[in-house]
Amino acid sequence: MTTGTPGAAARRAPAPPDPSPRLTESAAAGRGPEPVKETLRWLAARRAAHTFEVERVPFAQLHGWSFRADTGDLGHASGRFFTVQGHRVHSDYGPIPRWEQPIINQPEVGVLGFLVKEIDGVVQCLMQAKMEPGNANVVQLSPTVQATRSNYSRVHGGAAVRYLEYFTDPGRSTVLVDVLQSEQGSWFLGKRNRNIVVEVQGDVEVHEDYRWMPVGTVLELLHSDNAVNMDARTVLSCMPLARPTTPPGGGEATHPRAALRRSVTDFEYALHPMRELLHWFTDRTARHDLRTERVPLAGIEGWRRTPEAISHAQGRYFSVIGARVRAGSREVREWTQPLLAPHGLGLAALVVKRVHGVAHLLLHARPEAGHLHGVELAPTVQCTPDNYRGLPAGDRPRFLEHIEAVPADRVRFDAVQSEEGGRFHRAECRYMIVEAGDEVPLKVPEGYRWLAAHQVTRLLEHSHYLNVQARTLVACLHSLW
Amino acid sequence: MTTGTPGAAARRAPAPPDPSPRLTESAAAGRGPEPVKETLRWLAARRAAHTFEVERVPFAQLHGWSFRADTGDLGHASGRFFTVQGHRVHSDYGPIPRWEQPIINQPEVGVLGFLVKEIDGVVQCLMQAKMEPGNANVVQLSPTVQATRSNYSRVHGGAAVRYLEYFTDPGRSTVLVDVLQSEQGSWFLGKRNRNIVVEVQGDVEVHEDYRWMPVGTVLELLHSDNAVNMDARTVLSCMPLARPTTPPGGGEATHPRAALRRSVTDFEYALHPMRELLHWFTDRTARHDLRTERVPLAGIEGWRRTPEAISHAQGRYFSVIGARVRAGSREVREWTQPLLAPHGLGLAALVVKRVHGVAHLLLHARPEAGHLHGVELAPTVQCTPDNYRGLPAGDRPRFLEHIEAVPADRVRFDAVQSEEGGRFHRAECRYMIVEAGDEVPLKVPEGYRWLAAHQVTRLLEHSHYLNVQARTLVACLHSLW
């Protein structure tokens, strides 16, 4: 055993290779309208090459799914996949101290994996044109592997998951990113997915539903509505893209978007030190009470079940429905399943501001009843605006008015994206990034804080700091490069 | 709004003050046998100054506590404090695919707070001589504030919690550390406490059960059995003590303990880069299945209830018992409560090794059924050795044999500590740090990894990486300074 001093030998030990510079540089390649158009044409061709048919069916026509006699929970005969169960929430965060709702319980950890490879000096991702029943346009760009344990342990007797071995067999690849992250905390009970990026060196056989494309092209595609699916967006957000190898150059920016995108990668200044932000995050989590308990789905307060749907009595929030899928490109050719169908177009808006030239994101420490820790960092505004039409300003989400009134020249990003089409039916959300002027001060209400972009990147190395909507917006922010 | 370049202005922005150097330097003060003896004398005097009486009572004599008619869960009439409920675990980590057990459900986030202040150039902590009914010696050294929400919202009508305002009122102090951490994952369901250290400048009135002492003295006291309570140990572990202001000096160490303690603070070299460690941690969490569900406590498999205790049929693990407390120094003068009484002395042993002169800790990614994420990093060995007496080596915990056979000159730390005396009855554990020779290789089984001490410090800035036993051992490692 070495008993020597912590001296020269240690200093000479080779530093591990850092993937960030290559990723960051590659994020600039493959941009522009042409690669985007070409990829969208390819997606359309894949969509046309398969026959997909998705129709709503009454619960009685779901195969293998049924309501349990004792609880009324909706589950699969195998005990796998997921269960829709009743969820009672006690909370002193907001005006409603207690409510009940259906929630999806899917305890399995899924794999969302990007296989990447350096091709022609650029890091490229093997993206999949993947069918998901809940998407309006059915096929979207998804990670190389997007699989639940039920998928890859082949509970439903389907085909093996392509490329899975690169993510599960040590030695097949080099792991660049691997972190567990949450999904929608209002709809999922403690759901976690593994966001993983692995790099290969050798040849990879490319199936016709897959294609290599530069990270930059995938980011650029975020500006198109419903092209990049939720699972791809969350993995993109966890890539360390906001770490330049060299300090950003000086020189006055000529275009506001150019100035903003450069400021995203500046990593020296931050309005609040990390220690202060972690204290604030802990305080928001610990100061309030958010307790949940399982209750039978049958007869939960405020909801009713018909043969076709479980819906809220006032028609709000979402319904649980049944769907039959006939598909040619998925692991099995026909199946039925429940889907959660949200009511109304969502809005997830991020206010950003340059402080000392460095991009800061205004994030909200938001309690959601399905989150493991209770609170995660959410966009500045996250809501379904329809639910608040006609209400006085004090009863509407903070900053919603600001977003609705923002002048067009302050909007840096604006596109509609789909949430997970394997669980949600037509769940669409408008994602916006707006740059704040002086009307949004640096001092913000207690549940909100300005975080520098590089601080957000650091937090994304760990689980459960940013919620899935905020992660999509981080990916969109990188698309402004 | 600033629209300028991310240039000189940002670079000139003042860096936030970093508490680490002052903490690290202070950790060296107040060491040695004299301050320790003096503090132990003070603890003994506080113990003598109060009358404490703790006796076991049958469940029927617990006031306000009863078994629910429908589930048999043991709870308080107010619905607060905690509940002992039934817990079913499905796991493919080990040889037992399914079991049931009682578990403590206490959804409130507690506050474990150190008030610190620079006195005579040394950072000192305001420590409390606190009575806890489960401790054999009743009074131990505890954080300034150790309170559940029930305590400080005064559910039981007791006195206000002293010094709480420094931790809850912004502006009364500067926050140095604030992070949520777990408790025993085998006994608690998702329990979290806020580990918080705040610094004050002005005068603080010191009550007779409290005393200022240097961080170094508290660390040194860890070498005494049952002196520093669990809550104090976990807060100590979250202090950024392993970050020297200057690189550690060279020069051959003359004593093994001196060499080890210096190597704890070296922060340049690590056997595995952090990215690789986070991948490993994610993989250990995601690769296996660990699902739990609530079941009625009445009639759980393998356990039986008598008027005096709920115990395992084979007498293993732990019992749930009742206790009556008469006390003069606690918020209320008499109360009854259930306690969890573990069977047998626990062992938590950490193998450390200098690699290129830098201290590395051999940690185990250990699934525990009550952890929010399933897996946290545990000591090299964590078990109750009595449960494995006489079994063949293959059926005993890995590395247990190594610890039992370790020569005395490799033992760097060895003391018995109590676990949380407010919930556990005589829960004692032997904590050991042993320095490995060549017989423990750098390549270890898949569930284990060597982490550099500075990497552990970084992980402790975040929730739920290290379990409470590992955190105690990190505090003990710092005591070797």
Side-chain angles (χ1 to χ4, degrees):
Chain A
M1 195 183 74
T2 307
T3 52
T5 59
R11 303 291 177 281
R12 279 196 308 271
D18 183 351
S20 309
R22 282 185 306 129
L23 272 177
T24 313
E25 283 160 22
S26 299
R31 298 294 185 121
E34 209 32 63
V36 166
K37 271 192 222 157
E38 216 287 300
T39 308
L40 291 174
R41 277 195 296 268
W42 174 73
L43 263 180
R46 296 323 304 155
R47 202 173 285 130
H50 299 280
T51 52
F52 301 114
E53 213 178 282
V54 183
E55 57 175 331
R56 280 189 62 163
V57 295
F59 292 125
Q61 291 184 32
L62 298 180
H63 305 303
W65 293 87
S66 62
F67 294 100
R68 276 188 54 169
D70 50 352
T71 57
D73 292 353
L74 178 57
H76 192 260
S78 65
R80 304 301 293 267
F81 304 113
F82 60 91
T83 306
V84 182
Q85 63 189 44
H87 194 56
R88 182 183 294 153
V89 186
H90 304 263
S91 165
D92 62 2
Y93 277 94
I96 303 171
R98 191 188 121 143
W99 73 89
E100 296 185 356
Q101 64 165 91
I103 200 159
I104 302 175
N105 184 355
Q106 183 177 347
E108 300 175 336
V109 175
V111 173
L112 312 179
F114 271 36
L115 190 63
V116 304
K117 184 179 168 176
E118 194 171 314
I119 303 172
D120 304 330
V122 172
V123 177
Q124 311 219 11
C125 313
L126 188 61
M127 302 300 291
Q128 181 183 178
K130 186 174 174 69
M131 179 273 174
E132 293 181 318
N135 294 336
N137 59 355
V138 191
V139 171
Q140 297 189 5
L141 215 55
S142 89
T144 322
V145 164
Q146 176 178 322
T148 61
R149 188 188 304 259
S150 294
N151 284 143
Y152 64 80
S153 62
R154 299 165 79 174
V155 171
H156 51 32
V161 174
R162 284 202 175 79
Y163 306 111
L164 184 65
E165 65 275 16
Y166 290 101
F167 299 88
T168 53
D169 301 354
R172 295 290 299 254
S173 59
T174 307
V175 178
L176 306 185
V177 170
D178 189 5
V179 61
L180 293 175
Q181 298 291 5
S182 63
E183 292 202 7
Q184 280 79 1
S186 303
W187 301 338
F188 269 121
L189 181 64
K191 176 87 178 77
R192 299 181 294 172
N193 282 315
R194 190 168 177 176
N195 289 240
I196 178 166
V197 180
V198 305
E199 184 171 14
V200 280
Q201 304 287 344
D203 283 345
V204 176
E205 195 184 334
V206 177
H207 177 271
E208 58 182 356
D209 284 331
Y210 296 75
R211 185 178 246 214
W212 289 110
M213 54 191 79
V215 187
T217 302
V218 185
L219 288 170
E220 196 75 24
L221 277 159
L222 288 168
H223 293 268
S224 304
D225 287 354
N226 294 318
V228 182
N229 82 354
M230 184 185 91
D231 294 338
R233 300 195 304 268
T234 174
V235 182
L236 281 172
S237 78
C238 295
M239 289 183 167
L241 295 170
R243 290 173 174 171
T245 40
T246 51
E252 196 65 33
T254 51
H255 186 279
R257 189 175 136 175
L260 177 61
R261 73 197 184 202
R262 189 185 306 139
S263 79
V264 167
T265 59
D266 191 318
F267 63 112
E268 299 208 9
Y269 174 77
L271 184 60
H272 303 287
M274 190 61 113
R275 177 165 51 84
E276 206 176 294
L277 292 173
L278 292 176
H279 162 52
W280 166 74
F281 183 77
T282 301
D283 188 69
R284 296 313 298 174
T285 307
R287 191 173 278 266
H288 291 276
D289 202 21
L290 183 74
R291 281 174 302 123
T292 62
E293 57 186 318
R294 186 172 180 166
V295 291
L297 183 61
I300 54 169
E301 239 174 77
W303 297 76
R304 60 185 170 204
R305 189 177 115 196
T306 68
E308 284 82 27
I310 301 168
S311 302
H312 188 254
Q314 273 92 54
R316 293 179 144 204
Y317 311 120
F318 60 82
S319 297
V320 178
I321 61 170
R324 175 185 295 127
V325 187
R326 292 197 179 86
S329 75
R330 195 143 167 141
E331 292 82 2
V332 292
R333 303 191 71 81
E334 177 174 332
W335 75 94
T336 55
Q337 67 168 89
L339 287 171
L340 188 154
H343 299 175
L345 178 68
L347 172 68
L350 181 65
V351 176
V352 300
K353 188 179 176 111
R354 277 171 281 159
V355 186
H356 285 302
V358 175
H360 281 65
L361 290 65
L362 183 56
L363 294 176
H364 176 208
R366 178 186 165 95
E368 293 185 33
H371 283 327
L372 274 177
H373 295 198
V375 166
E376 295 192 7
L377 299 178
T380 320
V381 176
Q382 176 185 320
C383 69
T384 303
D386 279 354
N387 287 340
Y388 300 96
R389 295 254 179 270
L391 292 182
D395 293 344
R396 305 176 75 214
R398 271 176 196 274
F399 298 107
L400 175 56
E401 204 153 2
H402 175 78
I403 298 297
E404 289 177 341
V406 78
D409 67 350
R410 289 290 178 76
V411 177
R412 305 282 173 255
F413 184 94
D414 189 359
V416 171
Q417 305 290 354
S418 302
E419 307 304 338
E420 165 64 78
R423 292 291 170 270
F424 308 130
H425 181 73
R426 310 286 163 90
E428 296 188 355
C429 183
R430 182 177 178 189
Y431 284 91
M432 297 178 73
I433 298 176
V434 306
E435 189 161 355
D438 293 333
E439 75 286 358
V440 184
L442 292 179
K443 186 162 170 49
V444 285
E446 187 44 44
Y448 296 77
R449 276 293 183 282
W450 291 104
L451 278 79
H454 59 85
Q455 293 177 316
V456 170
T457 298
R458 275 185 58 198
L459 291 180
L460 281 168
E461 293 171 8
H462 307 283
S463 299
H464 303 309
Y465 279 111
L466 267 76
N467 79 355
V468 66
Q469 291 88 347
R471 296 202 305 277
T472 279
L473 284 161
V474 167
C476 297
L477 193 59
H478 289 306
S479 81
L480 301 180
W481 187 272
Chain B
M1 194 183 75
T2 307
T3 51
T5 59
R11 303 289 176 280
R12 280 196 307 270
D18 183 352
S20 308
R22 280 185 307 131
L23 272 177
T24 313
E25 283 161 22
S26 299
R31 297 294 184 122
E34 208 32 64
V36 165
K37 271 191 222 157
E38 216 286 301
T39 309
L40 290 175
R41 276 195 296 268
W42 174 72
L43 262 180
R46 295 323 303 155
R47 203 173 285 130
H50 299 279
T51 52
F52 301 113
E53 212 177 282
V54 183
E55 57 175 330
R56 279 188 65 163
V57 294
F59 293 124
Q61 290 184 33
L62 298 180
H63 303 303
W65 293 87
S66 62
F67 294 100
R68 276 188 54 168
D70 50 350
T71 57
D73 291 353
L74 178 55
H76 192 261
S78 66
R80 303 301 292 267
F81 303 115
F82 60 90
T83 306
V84 182
Q85 62 188 46
H87 193 56
R88 182 183 293 153
V89 185
H90 305 263
S91 166
D92 63 1
Y93 277 93
I96 303 171
R98 191 187 118 143
W99 73 89
E100 297 184 354
Q101 65 166 90
I103 201 160
I104 301 175
N105 184 357
Q106 183 177 348
E108 298 176 336
V109 175
V111 173
L112 311 179
F114 271 36
L115 190 63
V116 305
K117 184 179 168 177
E118 195 172 315
I119 303 172
D120 303 331
V122 171
V123 177
Q124 310 219 12
C125 313
L126 187 61
M127 301 301 291
Q128 181 184 177
K130 187 175 173 68
M131 178 274 175
E132 293 180 319
N135 294 336
N137 58 355
V138 194
V139 171
Q140 298 188 4
L141 215 54
S142 88
T144 323
V145 164
Q146 177 179 321
T148 61
R149 189 188 303 262
S150 293
N151 285 144
Y152 62 80
S153 62
R154 302 167 76 175
V155 173
H156 51 33
V161 174
R162 274 181 227 285
Y163 307 110
L164 184 66
E165 66 275 16
Y166 290 101
F167 299 88
T168 54
D169 300 355
R172 295 289 300 254
S173 58
T174 307
V175 178
L176 306 184
V177 170
D178 189 5
V179 61
L180 292 175
Q181 298 291 5
S182 64
E183 292 200 7
Q184 280 80 359
S186 303
W187 300 338
F188 268 122
L189 180 63
K191 177 88 178 76
R192 299 181 292 172
N193 282 316
R194 190 168 178 176
N195 290 240
I196 178 166
V197 181
V198 305
E199 184 172 14
V200 281
Q201 303 287 345
D203 283 346
V204 176
E205 195 185 333
V206 177
H207 177 270
E208 59 183 354
D209 284 331
Y210 296 76
R211 186 178 245 214
W212 290 110
M213 53 190 80
V215 188
T217 302
V218 185
L219 289 169
E220 196 76 24
L221 277 158
L222 288 168
H223 293 268
S224 304
D225 287 355
N226 293 320
V228 181
N229 84 351
M230 184 185 91
D231 295 338
R233 301 195 303 268
T234 173
V235 181
L236 282 173
S237 78
C238 295
M239 288 185 169
L241 295 171
R243 292 173 173 170
T245 40
T246 51
E252 196 66 32
T254 50
H255 185 279
R257 187 175 138 175
L260 177 61
R261 72 196 184 200
R262 190 185 305 138
S263 79
V264 167
T265 59
D266 192 316
F267 63 113
E268 298 209 10
Y269 174 78
L271 185 60
H272 303 287
M274 190 59 113
R275 178 165 50 84
E276 207 176 294
L277 292 172
L278 292 176
H279 162 52
W280 166 75
F281 183 76
T282 301
D283 188 68
R284 297 312 299 173
T285 307
R287 191 174 278 267
H288 292 277
D289 203 21
L290 182 75
R291 279 174 306 122
T292 62
E293 56 186 317
R294 184 173 180 165
V295 292
L297 182 62
I300 55 169
E301 240 174 77
W303 297 75
R304 60 184 170 204
R305 190 179 113 194
T306 67
E308 283 81 28
I310 302 168
S311 301
H312 188 253
Q314 271 92 54
R316 293 181 143 204
Y317 313 119
F318 59 82
S319 297
V320 178
I321 61 169
R324 175 186 295 127
V325 188
R326 290 198 180 87
S329 77
R330 192 141 167 142
E331 293 82 2
V332 292
R333 304 191 70 81
E334 176 172 335
W335 75 95
T336 56
Q337 66 168 90
L339 287 171
L340 188 153
H343 299 176
L345 179 68
L347 172 68
L350 181 65
V351 176
V352 300
K353 188 178 175 110
R354 276 171 282 159
V355 186
H356 286 301
V358 175
H360 281 65
L361 291 65
L362 184 56
L363 293 176
H364 175 208
R366 178 185 166 95
E368 295 185 33
H371 283 328
L372 274 177
H373 296 197
V375 167
E376 294 192 9
L377 299 178
T380 319
V381 176
Q382 174 185 321
C383 68
T384 303
D386 279 353
N387 288 340
Y388 301 95
R389 296 254 177 271
L391 292 182
D395 293 343
R396 304 177 75 214
R398 271 176 194 272
F399 298 106
L400 174 56
E401 205 151 3
H402 175 79
I403 298 297
E404 289 176 342
V406 78
D409 67 351
R410 288 292 178 76
V411 177
R412 305 282 173 255
F413 184 96
D414 189 0
V416 171
Q417 306 289 354
S418 302
E419 307 305 338
E420 165 65 77
R423 293 291 170 270
F424 309 130
H425 181 72
R426 309 284 163 90
E428 295 188 357
C429 182
R430 182 177 178 190
Y431 284 91
M432 297 179 72
I433 298 177
V434 306
E435 189 161 356
D438 292 334
E439 76 285 359
V440 182
L442 292 180
K443 188 163 166 49
V444 285
E446 187 45 43
Y448 297 77
R449 278 290 183 285
W450 291 105
L451 280 77
H454 58 86
Q455 294 177 315
V456 171
T457 298
R458 274 186 58 197
L459 291 180
L460 282 168
E461 294 171 7
H462 306 282
S463 299
H464 303 310
Y465 278 110
L466 267 77
N467 79 356
V468 65
Q469 291 88 348
R471 296 201 305 278
T472 278
L473 284 161
V474 168
C476 297
L477 193 59
H478 289 306
S479 81
L480 301 180
W481 187 272

